[in-house]
Amino acid sequence: MSDQPNANRRKFLRQASAAVAAIPVISLAGMSTAKADNPKAEDGHRHDYVNNAADAAGHEDYSEGEKCKNCAFWGGGDAEWGQCFHADFQGVQVNASGWCDEYVGA
Ligand code: SF4
């Protein structure tokens, strides 16, 4: 039996591993650029967004404990500001303690 198929399989697996390993690096690099360049969302940006979830108390869609940093759209950031993957929040940073009516529990 030839070693060629095994060599090809090893090469493929090495390339696939490298590609998978590169994804988080690319994502983090993109995020840090976005964080540096993007303005911070202001209250009322879209979807009744507020920088402090406590200010959403009384909103019909708000439940206590909901905030950007535990929303399924949260893309990560630092302790205060980060990225939201929702289409209507592209190009701005949202507050980790913020909230909007598109909130989805993670
Ligand atoms: S979709 Fe989620 S992470 Fe984005 S602004 Fe609304 S609550 Fe925050």
Side-chain angles (χ1 to χ4, degrees), residues 46-47 49-50 66-75 83-86 89 94-96 98-104:
R46 299 248 180 124
H47 301 289
Y49 172 82
V50 287
E66 295 178 351
K67 54 184 69 175
C68 291
K69 71 180 177 186
N70 60 28
C71 173
F73 286 109
W74 176 249
Q83 183 177 8
C84 170
F85 289 132
H86 190 286
F89 287 87
V94 297
N95 196 293
W99 180 87
C100 84
D101 65 10
E102 291 291 293
Y103 175 90
V104 176

